[in-house]
Amino acid sequence: MSKVLCTLLLLFVALSMTKSQDTVRVGAFNLYPGIFLDTDGVVKGFYVDALNSLGEKENIEFVYVYGSWDDGLARMKSGEVDMLTSVAITQDRLNYMDYTSTPLLTVWSEVYVDQDSEIRGILGLEGKTIAIMKSDFNGGFLKQLTTKFDVSCTFVETADFEEVFKLVSKGQVDAGVVNNTFGAPKSVQYGLLTSGIVFNPFDIFFTVKKGANESLLNLLNQYLNDWKHDRNSVYNLALQKWSHDNVGAIEVLPQWLKDAIYFVVLLVLVLLVFVALLRYRVKVAVRKVKYSERLFKTFMENTPAYVYIKDHNLQHIYRNRMVDRVNTASPEDKNSSAKTIFEAHVARMVEKTDRQIINSELNQTNIQYQCKLNGKDTWLHDYKFQLDLPDNDLAVGGVSFDITQLKETEFELIKAKEKAEESDRLKSSFLANMSHEIRTPMNGILGFSELLKDPGLNNEEKEQYIDVIEKSGARMLNIINDIIDISKIESGQMIVNKTDLNINILLDDLNSFFNEEASRKKIKLTLHKALADSEVNLHCDGDMFYAVLSNLLKNALKYTFEGRIEFGYTLNASQEELQFYVNDTGIGVAPEKQKLIFERFIQADIEDKMALQGAGLGLAISKAYVEMLGGKIWVESELGKQSTFFFTLPYKTSGLQ
């Protein structure tokens, strides 16, 4: 019994002295081949192999919490994970993570594209769409780089590098940014190529939560230091396996071979230094030339002008992007000239001035001309000058500016000036005509009022004089009313008052009113009505409608000396408009004046001897009224034979019968 108790006691002591197994949560994400989630649902990679080996030796269980890279950073901040792999140093991350003193790898950023891409340098990213991993150091540095070089491009953020390559391979973006560790093996799988844009070499580390895992950090530093100095360590073998699928490919070389290699390398270095010293001046000069060339190209490609240089054969030896956009020749075709840009007659004119500069007839010239660029009418201001090329050959340099907008503004100013001069002339004519129009009835009123004072007048003479005074007063009143109406229209104070209106009844009233004057002039006045009374109850402004027809009938009676006048309306085919008309056999209107008569202060024959009384406002008022009622007005006429004035109104009945 005592033996059993002793045995149990010894077992209890042994178990109590055994170290319990620790658990470390590792933030895992898709960064093949270092760490990734395999198709069987297990997190794998050379980091995983190395950590699992460490765990077996130190009795640590590494538990992998899988998510995106951005998720891993968030979990490290919140304490959901204890460590991360493959972390670059940034100022922000130093606030919540502690880094191992020994780096895992030195990596760099690369831009990958599909096999048909033309992107070959950083400037080639202009206007392109680029996929980057969210919160990734590589993508963040490229953003800074494109901003520094003033390259405008669009960035699309993804959850991981795998998604970056998927977008590039499907053509949904133009390029993608990953580090070389992921890009080297995966580019073959996705059929992608490096663009040659390689930048930003940096170290990546294991990290732990800041100030919380000092013992784990020290342990990682210890193992990393040992692994890095042993080529056959689990870390190096795992790296070789997952990167190249060739376990054990890295072998330890014999010391004598290593010494021989060092000697050869040293000898080569000495030779390289010697050559480098000899070539130093050349390199400095080349660097300056390349910088100047790059500076020149960047400026010229972004200047908003057409910049070009032509040789003695008038072929382009340089042209910027602005010229390429309007050139029918491809950018690679060096045999382009004015003939591949302009129409034939413009090309001849341009080449003539080019030839004068090549022949030293001119040192420089400024010309303006109109042409078609990409099918659009364009005005160019072309400044050309003579250039001496390095081979002592003469060339033509040129800078052309698009001045189309300036020319259009110039033409508009000319038109505005002409319109202002015409308006001034018309106003002068109107004032002269208005002076006559006002004086005539005033003279009639004053003159015949004076004659009425004669006590010897008989009743018949008095009636005659009073009739003249009344007609003169009515004429004066019409002129004043027209001036008031046109003033209200111009100031926007004319109000439309629509009521239910029976058009047939109003036309009958007009027919009765003007029939007496027509009979007096022995002119036949007829009325045509297309619809029954019950069908023409419109919601319309009666005063405006009456004024329009009255003005048209007054003009017809004024300018018709024999024959007939017919007025009325018809219903158009769509039954949406009533078309009113006044047709006469009067003097007619010349074709060139048929639009002018609807302008203010203009009579059709204001400059002719046949101009009759009137202020020239009636048709302008009628046009304004018709347009305010939702219609339009026009005239069709044969000079010396007849005129027909038309206007339309929307056929919207009031619903009353």
Side-chain angles (χ1 to χ4, degrees), residues 23 83-84 86 110 143 204 219 308 363 442 478 510 517 535 590 600 626 632 638:
T23 300
M83 67 173 291
L84 287 176
S86 191
E110 285 195 58
K143 288 183 179 180
I204 54 177
L219 192 63
Y308 56 88
N363 287 327
M442 285 296 296
N478 284 336
L510 286 168
E517 184 177 353
E535 298 177 312
R600 303 189 308 276
V626 169
K632 59 181 179 179
E638 293 183 62

Side-chain angles (χ1 to χ4, degrees), residues 571-643:
L571 180 63
N572 69 358
S574 65
Q575 298 189 349
E576 294 180 351
E577 287 183 336
L578 291 178
Q579 181 171 294
F580 296 87
Y581 67 92
V582 176
N583 173 259
D584 63 60
T585 56
I587 63 175
V589 182
E592 66 273 12
K593 295 183 179 180
Q594 289 180 11
K595 290 186 178 180
L596 293 176
I597 59 175
F598 293 104
E599 300 295 328
R600 303 189 308 276
F601 316 133
I602 297 180
Q603 290 174 296
D605 51 2
I606 197 169
E607 296 178 350
D608 301 334
K609 296 180 179 180
M610 293 181 64
L612 303 179
Q613 67 181 32
L617 297 176
L619 289 178
I621 294 172
S622 298
K623 179 176 181 290
Y625 283 173
V626 169
E627 291 176 350
M628 291 170 73
L629 293 174
K632 59 181 179 179
I633 188 170
W634 71 96
V635 63
E636 296 176 2
S637 179
E638 293 183 62
L639 188 61
K641 293 184 178 181
Q642 63 87 30
S643 296

Side-chain angles (χ1 to χ4, degrees), residues 53 162 197 248 291 342 375 593:
S53 174
E162 195 85 31
I197 304 175
Y291 176 78
F342 303 112
K593 295 183 179 180

Side-chain angles (χ1 to χ4, degrees), residues 206-226:
F206 283 144
T207 63
V208 300
K209 186 169 178 62
K210 191 170 185 68
N213 290 291
E214 184 176 355
S215 60
L216 176 60
L217 190 66
N218 292 334
L219 192 63
L220 291 172
N221 279 325
Q222 175 188 334
Y223 272 84
L224 275 174
N225 188 57
D226 293 338

Side-chain angles (χ1 to χ4, degrees), residues 16 24 180 222 360 441 604:
S16 64
V24 174
N180 65 298
Q222 175 188 334
S360 298

Side-chain angles (χ1 to χ4, degrees), residues 75-275:
R75 287 167 177 163
M76 177 64 85
K77 287 182 180 178
S78 65
E80 292 179 54
V81 296
D82 303 305
M83 67 173 291
L84 287 176
T85 65
S86 191
V87 184
I89 295 177
T90 68
Q91 190 61 44
D92 176 61
R93 295 171 186 173
L94 287 171
N95 294 326
Y96 61 94
M97 286 190 284
D98 288 328
Y99 288 72
T100 57
S101 58
T102 303
L104 292 167
L105 292 171
T106 298
V107 297
W108 55 86
S109 309
E110 285 195 58
V111 177
Y112 284 86
V113 295
D114 63 32
Q115 296 183 7
D116 297 324
S117 176
E118 295 296 326
I119 297 173
R120 292 294 181 269
I122 190 70
L123 298 181
L125 298 179
E126 176 68 28
K128 305 298 184 183
T129 302
I130 306 166
I132 63 175
M133 184 170 71
K134 187 176 182 181
S135 303
D136 178 44
F137 189 70
N138 303 276
F141 194 88
L142 183 62
K143 288 183 179 180
Q144 298 176 16
L145 197 60
T146 55
T147 301
K148 180 179 180 181
F149 283 96
D150 199 23
V151 174
S152 176
C153 52
T154 303
F155 290 92
V156 176
E157 293 188 335
T158 67
D160 53 43
F161 285 160
E162 195 85 31
E163 189 63 23
V164 169
F165 269 19
K166 286 180 180 179
L167 293 178
V168 178
S169 65
K170 292 178 180 178
Q172 296 178 5
V173 297
D174 300 301
V177 182
V178 299
N179 69 35
N180 65 298
T181 306
F182 178 90
K186 284 290 185 175
S187 61
V188 177
Q189 176 184 338
Y190 284 92
L192 303 181
L193 299 174
T194 179
S195 66
I197 304 175
V198 179
F199 57 95
N200 187 32
F202 60 96
D203 291 333
I204 54 177
F205 301 79
F206 283 144
T207 63
V208 300
K209 186 169 178 62
K210 191 170 185 68
N213 290 291
E214 184 176 355
S215 60
L216 176 60
L217 190 66
N218 292 334
L219 192 63
L220 291 172
N221 279 325
Q222 175 188 334
Y223 272 84
L224 275 174
N225 188 57
D226 293 338
W227 289 340
K228 286 297 188 72
H229 290 86
D230 182 5
R231 295 193 178 192
N232 292 314
S233 68
V234 63
Y235 178 84
N236 285 322
L237 292 177
L239 175 61
Q240 183 69 22
K241 168 188 172 182
W242 289 107
S243 299
H244 306 287
D245 195 24
N246 186 12
V247 179
I250 301 177
E251 299 179 354
V252 179
L253 298 177
Q255 187 61 41
W256 66 267
L257 184 56
K258 290 168 61 176
D259 293 341
I261 292 173
Y262 292 152
F263 176 77
V264 171
V265 170
L266 180 61
L267 181 61
V268 170
L269 286 175
V270 171
L271 292 174
L272 288 176
V273 170
F274 179 73
V275 173

